[in-house]
């Protein structure tokens, strides 16, 4: 068929509030607001400049074409470079478009294919990304703390972990703080401490896993099934919940393969931790991670499956990461007694 619209055109035409360039849009709206904090304005401008410099350094400029978000666009570029030897897969990846939306809610979805458009559309909410940033930050305090023995520093780290965690579970407070502190403190952002490095690597690895999981839903043809609509959560009678559960494990495995195996990260502890961290983050929004839902297997089973994938590629790191996961999950359950009724990760 001719004149099919691209996934990008479909995104911009379908979703209310969809913008072509997320960061530029934010920068422009901050700039046009006379009351906006000048420090925020400056920080936004700086971010755009940094993206431009980065884009120019890799020879591709600031222009985004795999996503309306520069960072996500770069993740897809990375995936394409991972599969250099496999031209078919590389060509398929070039048909991906990830649209970031300002909608509230933890949302990342591979949108069902339709006859009028081509390419693979994925949408992700700003809040999902924000949660990944904050949770990576929270986890980084613990990761960094494990390498320290200095008591004063440990207390500071513990306070940092506590603060990020409380921010994380209190949405309103979280959004307020992010608006106030995050872009308003460029000095802090510029500081390159080891802990911040861990946090940003963990965020990148988690985002890569999440994106490649959604790409998996497309490439494994879960979005082709007649009428299965991930947006409305409508399940037609020809798709059993058992099949949906299998699809979820398959997408996790695909995500693991693309972001870790193809990316040659089998010896990278942070990358091997990221899929488990994504599950732990999702579990914070799930009172019963040991129970499956109609559409999804239990987070416990997804965790165990991913842990066994980590064990396959690196037994030593798997055991360390399992130990660490237990430590952080227990820490949360002790901080807020009964956050989960069971120690579902054991
Ligand atoms: Zn999924």
């Amino acid at each position: 068929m001719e004149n099919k619209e691209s996934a990008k055109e479909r995104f911009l035409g379908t979703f209310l509030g969809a913008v072509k360039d997320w960061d530029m849009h934010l920068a422009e709206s901050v700039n046009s607001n006379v009351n906006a904090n000048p420090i925020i304005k400056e920080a936004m401008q700086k971010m755009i400049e940094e993206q431009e410099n980065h884009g120019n350094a890799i020879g591709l400029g600031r222009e985004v074409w795999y996503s309306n978000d520069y960072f996500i666009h770069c993740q897809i570029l990375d995936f394409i470079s991972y599969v250099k030897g496999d031209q078919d897969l590389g060509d398929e990846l070039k048909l991906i478009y990830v649209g970031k939306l300002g909608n509230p809610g933890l949302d990342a979805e591979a949108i069902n294919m339709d006859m009028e458009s081509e390419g693979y559309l994925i949408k992700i909410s700003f809040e999902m990304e924000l949660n990944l940033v904050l949770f990576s930050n929270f986890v980084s305090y613990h990761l960094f703390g494990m390498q320290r023995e200095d008591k004063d520093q440990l207390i500071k780290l513990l306070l940092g972990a506590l603060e990020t965690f409380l921010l994380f579970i209190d949405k309103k407070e979280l959004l307020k703080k992010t608006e106030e502190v995050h872009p308003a403190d460029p000095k802090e952002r510029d500081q390159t401490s080891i802990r911040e490095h861990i946090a940003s690597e963990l965020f990148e690895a988690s985002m890569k896993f999440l994106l490649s999981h959604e790409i998996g839903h497309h490439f494994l043809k879960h979005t082709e099934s007649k009428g299965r609509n991930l947006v409305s959560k409508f399940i037609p009678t020809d798709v059993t919940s058992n099949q949906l559960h299998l699809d979820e494990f398959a997408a996790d495995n695909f995500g693991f393969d693309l972001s870790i195996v193809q990316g040659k990260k089998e010896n990278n502890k942070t990358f091997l931790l990221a899929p488990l961290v994504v599950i732990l983050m999702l579990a914070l929004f799930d009172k019963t991670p040991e129970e499956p839902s109609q559409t999804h297997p239990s987070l416990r089973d997804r965790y165990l499956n991913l842990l066994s994938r980590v064990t396959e590629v690196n037994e030593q790191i798997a055991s360390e990461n399992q130990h660490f996961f237990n430590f952080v999950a227990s820490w949360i359950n002790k901080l807020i007694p009964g956050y989960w009724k069971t120690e579902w990760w054991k």
Side-chain angles (χ1 to χ4, degrees):
M1 257 202 277
E2 57 206 54
N3 291 335
K4 280 195 174 189
E5 66 174 1
S6 67
K8 177 180 181 173
E9 287 162 343
R10 186 180 173 200
F11 172 71
L12 293 172
T14 308
F15 296 102
L16 203 69
V19 294
K20 272 190 196 152
D21 185 327
W22 177 271
D23 292 324
M24 200 65 94
H25 167 77
L26 281 189
E28 279 166 7
S29 57
V30 169
N31 258 329
S32 63
N33 179 355
V34 284
N35 297 320
N37 184 334
I39 299 172
I40 296 182
K41 282 188 184 178
E42 200 189 306
M44 290 299 300
Q45 199 49 45
K46 191 150 180 259
M47 181 181 69
I48 300 287
E49 276 165 25
E50 274 170 14
Q51 292 175 351
E52 253 160 30
N53 291 340
H54 175 256
N56 291 335
I58 56 172
L60 296 166
R62 168 65 177 66
E63 202 188 330
V64 286
W65 60 93
Y66 294 121
S67 171
N68 60 346
D69 178 86
Y70 185 78
F71 176 74
I72 293 175
H73 165 76
C74 290
Q75 306 313 306
I76 307 294
L77 284 175
D78 281 349
F79 291 151
I80 294 168
S81 78
Y82 288 176
V83 303
K84 242 185 253 147
D86 184 339
Q87 210 192 331
D88 289 346
L89 188 52
D91 287 345
E92 289 292 291
L93 282 168
K94 288 176 186 162
L95 296 171
I96 298 276
Y97 187 81
V98 185
K100 185 157 110 180
L101 285 165
N103 299 2
L106 270 198
D107 190 15
E109 286 176 359
I111 306 295
N112 255 17
M113 309 293 287
D114 77 356
M115 298 294 284
E116 283 78 44
S117 65
E118 55 189 2
Y120 303 104
L121 181 57
I122 291 166
K123 78 175 164 96
I124 182 167
S125 66
F126 163 72
E127 196 174 327
M128 175 64 107
E129 189 191 33
L130 182 62
N131 277 311
L132 274 187
V133 170
L134 282 166
F135 199 63
S136 301
N137 216 9
F138 160 68
V139 170
S140 75
Y141 280 101
H142 286 298
L143 271 174
F144 187 56
M146 291 204 139
Q147 307 162 1
R148 304 281 120 178
E149 273 162 16
D150 175 336
K151 268 213 184 108
D152 283 350
Q153 198 166 19
L154 272 178
I155 290 170
K156 268 190 206 147
L157 286 168
L158 191 64
L159 284 174
L162 189 63
E163 193 197 30
T164 41
F165 185 72
L166 293 176
L167 268 177
F168 182 80
I169 55 173
D170 184 355
K171 292 274 163 229
K172 257 186 239 152
E173 202 52 34
L174 174 157
L175 286 169
K176 216 168 49 192
K177 273 262 189 174
T178 322
E179 279 162 14
E180 285 167 3
V181 179
H182 191 56
D185 204 347
K187 238 190 266 159
E188 190 170 272
R189 206 198 259 178
D190 285 347
Q191 271 174 19
T192 47
S193 71
I194 303 169
R195 197 215 32 94
E196 283 170 338
H197 177 76
I198 296 172
S200 73
E201 191 184 35
L202 186 59
F203 167 63
E204 180 197 325
S206 304
M207 185 58 110
K208 279 203 160 87
F209 175 71
L210 194 104
L211 291 169
S212 54
H213 170 102
E214 299 306 331
I215 293 171
H217 279 309
H218 276 309
F219 287 11
L220 298 167
K221 309 209 180 302
H222 303 159
T223 51
E224 263 184 12
S225 153
K226 321 161 217 95
R228 172 144 41 117
N229 188 333
L230 292 170
V231 179
S232 67
K233 304 275 193 287
F234 166 73
I235 306 161
T237 44
D238 64 329
V239 181
T240 63
S241 75
N242 199 14
Q243 184 57 49
L244 290 174
H245 288 186
L246 292 176
D247 287 356
E248 218 47 51
F249 289 120
D252 277 344
N253 289 336
F254 183 96
F256 188 90
D257 287 334
L258 180 56
S259 65
I260 290 164
V261 181
Q262 309 242 42
K264 299 200 171 28
K265 307 284 188 193
E266 291 101 328
N267 297 315
N268 182 316
K269 201 173 167 182
T270 311
F271 267 76
L272 289 178
L273 184 63
L276 311 178
V277 161
V278 170
I279 298 293
L280 185 57
M281 187 199 82
L282 294 173
L284 287 173
F285 299 91
D286 187 341
K287 282 283 149 202
T288 53
E290 64 284 349
E291 286 173 19
S293 72
Q294 199 184 4
T295 55
H296 281 68
S298 72
L299 287 171
R300 172 188 159 78
D301 286 346
R302 290 178 68 190
Y303 166 69
L304 292 175
N305 172 56
L306 287 165
L307 185 60
S308 83
R309 295 299 319 270
V310 181
T311 310
E312 275 167 34
V313 301
N314 194 321
E315 220 169 309
Q316 174 64 29
I317 293 183
S319 145
E320 287 167 25
N321 281 352
Q322 183 180 17
H323 177 78
F324 179 72
F325 192 100
N326 176 42
F327 172 80
V328 178
S330 305
W331 186 91
I332 293 168
N333 229 18
K334 255 179 245 155
L335 181 72
I336 303 174
Y339 195 93
W340 297 295
K341 282 191 210 83
T342 63
E343 289 181 301
W344 55 270
W345 57 92
K346 284 191 175 166

